[in-house]
């Protein structure tokens, strides 16, 4: 029967050693990570991955709810009782064409490995360890949808690890929203009657020119990028329709809102100049910026250092994208550390990164990440005062 008590430092060191040796014996974890790697599934279609992960958790004593938040490939698996509730988040979606080029096969395997190893501490102290399976990180911000549907409401802490090229205890991630744009013009013979046409492609090209001009005068951390998905049918027909997909990113929500309006002004200006009619739609979900919890990051870094990895608290470079973990981190104190699985020149979302996610360094990264996550769970469950500090920092930083 679990009891509420605080561990002394000797107990804690012993528990951490047990967690490490237990993860080391679980050879099935590398097999699971490689099996998910060789069966890549796109967002919301991660049927095999979610089945294999939930089976593994069930076999290891977790109670599993599948299809939570009305998302068939989302799940929650829990072990233990009462507070605190510590969640480890699992991503398992792949990228079109590239497969597991973001290494999510390692994220989900590290999550289940860490959770199963953390049973030791949940048995000894009061508390619950959960794995929350979060589909469709890459394309549809699955966690943003799950935030809206209440999946993270009763948590005290949410953690996950992402593979990358540097060991870092925090992630910088921008607020981000995508936009679909269409221009409607009028087709005409491009040589015989050009004066009768309204050129929807030119409206799109002018929009790109206006956005490129705007880019000179935005904050250096903001990003605007897009593609043309329809630019007309034939060179001798004035294009009556054009379409494009764009993404706008900024370091905070306020600046994102400001930038969104400026970007729309570029399209409105191009519509006025060309005479084409503009229609646009912002994506329903938006990625929130990552709100890293310093106390959690510190704990994780110490545990990684214990495993012989040199961990920076924050990334030194200017390289950052967006993640739906940002949305969770705005609601619950959280971290998303990065574990290195490839040298710095390997780019995420590349075929080389996909190979790294199935390499020896990838598997080593998975095992170290799982150990450090489980060791952090030990710190948190055995020391309720640390959780209090984490939560105070979370409130103060808001
Ligand atoms: Zn990615
Ligand atoms: Zn990713």
């Amino acid at each position: 029967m679990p009891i509420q008590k605080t561990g002394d430092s000797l107990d804690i060191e012993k528990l951490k050693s047990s967690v490490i040796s237990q993860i080391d014996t679980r050879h099935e974890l590398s097999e699971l990570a490689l099996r998910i790697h060789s069966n890549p599934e796109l967002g919301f279609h991660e049927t095999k991955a979610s089945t294999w992960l939930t089976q593994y958790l069930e076999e290891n004593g977790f109670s599993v709810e599948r299809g939570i938040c009305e998302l068939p490939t989302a799940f929650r698996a829990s072990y233990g009782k009462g507070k605190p509730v510590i969640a480890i988040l699992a991503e398992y979606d792949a990228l079109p064409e590239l497969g597991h080029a973001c290494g999510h096969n390692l994220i989900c395997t590290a999550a289940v490995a860490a959770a199963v190893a953390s049973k030791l501490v949940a048995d000894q102290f009061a508390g619950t360890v959960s794995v929350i399976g979060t589909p469709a990180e890459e394309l549809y911000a699955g966690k943003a949808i799950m935030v809206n549907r209440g999946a993270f409401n009763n948590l005290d802490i949410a953690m996950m690890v992402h593979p990358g090229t540097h060991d870092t205890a925090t992630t910088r991630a921008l607020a981000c929203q995508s936009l679909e744009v269409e221009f409607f013009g009028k087709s005409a013979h491009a040589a015989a009657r050009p004066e009768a046409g309204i050129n929807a492609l030119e409206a799109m090209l002018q929009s790109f020119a206006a956005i490129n001009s705007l880019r000179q005068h935005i904050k250096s951390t903001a990003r605007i990028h897009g593609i043309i998905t329809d630019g007309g049918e034939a060179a001798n027909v004035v294009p009556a329709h054009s379409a494009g997909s764009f993404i706008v990113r900024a370091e905070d929500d306020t600046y994102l809102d400001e930038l969104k309006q400026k970007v729309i002004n570029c399209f409105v200006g191009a519509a006025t100049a060309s005479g084409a009619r503009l229609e646009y739609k912002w994506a329903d979900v938006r990625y929130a910026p990552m709100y890293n919890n310093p106390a959690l990051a510190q704990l994780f870094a110490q545990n990684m250092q214990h495993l012989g990895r040199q961990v920076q608290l924050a990334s030194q470079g200017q390289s950052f994208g967006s993640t739906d973990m940002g949305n969770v981190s705005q609601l619950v104190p959280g971290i998303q550390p990065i574990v290195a699985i490839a040298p710095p020149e390997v780019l995420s979302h590349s075929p080389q990164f996909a190979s790294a996610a199935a390499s020896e360094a990838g598997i080593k990264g998975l095992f170290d990440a799982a150990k450090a996550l489980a060791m952090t769970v030990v710190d948190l469950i055995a020391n309720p005062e640390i959780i209090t500090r984490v939560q105070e920092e979370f409130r103060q930083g808001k």
Side-chain angles (χ1 to χ4, degrees), residues 91 102 104 107 137-138 162 349:
E91 294 175 1
C102 207
H104 293 186
I107 298 178
E137 188 278 329
E138 293 288 357
H162 200 294
H349 290 199

Side-chain angles (χ1 to χ4, degrees), residues 224-240:
I224 311 166
H225 40 99
I227 56 167
I228 297 179
T229 53
D230 180 15
E233 301 295 334
N236 62 355
V237 179
V238 173

Side-chain angles (χ1 to χ4, degrees), residues 70-322:
E70 294 165 55
L71 302 173
T73 56
F75 65 86
R76 184 190 295 108
S78 299
Y79 183 90
K81 270 204 188 87
K83 290 280 215 180
V85 183
I86 315 282
I88 304 174
L89 274 43
E91 294 175 1
Y92 28 83
D93 56 326
L95 288 156
E97 311 294 331
L98 289 165
H100 275 291
C102 207
H104 293 186
N105 61 310
L106 303 176
I107 298 178
C108 56
T109 315
V112 298
V116 169
S118 301
K119 281 166 56 182
L120 282 175
V121 64
D123 283 339
Q124 201 158 329
F125 301 88
T128 307
V129 180
S130 294
V131 178
I132 303 188
T134 63
E137 188 278 329
E138 293 288 357
L139 299 176
Y140 306 107
K143 291 184 206 61
I145 299 169
M146 293 176 74
V147 163
N148 294 338
R149 297 183 185 172
F152 308 101
N153 283 357
N154 299 316
L155 304 182
D156 292 290
I157 307 278
M159 302 190 285
M160 61 172 282
V161 172
H162 200 294
T165 56
H166 294 90
D167 287 328
T168 316
T170 54
T171 291
R172 261 181 102 183
L174 301 173
C176 160
Q177 198 164 7
S178 53
L179 168 70
E180 298 298 322
V181 174
E182 284 181 284
F183 285 107
F184 298 89
K186 190 175 167 205
S187 58
H189 193 295
R193 289 297 310 281
E195 74 282 3
I198 296 174
N199 195 320
L201 174 61
E202 286 298 333
M204 187 60 82
L205 297 177
Q206 281 190 30
S207 306
F208 272 86
I211 287 168
N212 289 339
S213 300
L214 170 65
R215 194 177 283 113
Q216 295 178 61
H217 304 289
I218 65 173
K219 293 183 183 176
S220 62
T221 47
R223 300 283 186 269
I224 311 166
H225 40 99
I227 56 167
I228 297 179
T229 53
D230 180 15
E233 301 295 334
N236 62 355
V237 179
V238 173
H241 180 256
S242 66
S245 295
F246 296 81
I247 299 177
V248 184
R249 307 183 200 237
E251 219 161 5
D252 59 70
D253 282 316
T254 314
Y255 192 55
L256 181 61
D257 286 334
E258 197 180 306
L259 208 51
K260 280 173 62 182
Q261 189 53 53
K262 289 182 174 175
V263 168
I264 292 301
N265 291 346
C266 295
F267 294 109
V268 170
T272 308
S274 63
R277 183 169 58 81
L278 167 68
E279 276 187 25
Y280 65 88
K281 189 178 183 314
W282 289 103
D284 293 333
V285 289
R286 142 172 180 163
Y287 292 78
M290 185 69 203
Y291 179 36
N292 295 290
N293 188 278
L296 280 177
Q298 197 84 48
L299 281 180
F300 186 85
Q302 280 163 8
N303 288 323
M304 282 291 258
Q305 268 147 13
H306 184 92
L307 300 169
R309 285 184 176 254
Q310 288 313 309
V311 182
Q312 305 270 3
L313 271 183
S315 137
Q316 301 301 308
Q318 283 281 302
S319 152
F320 34 69
S322 303

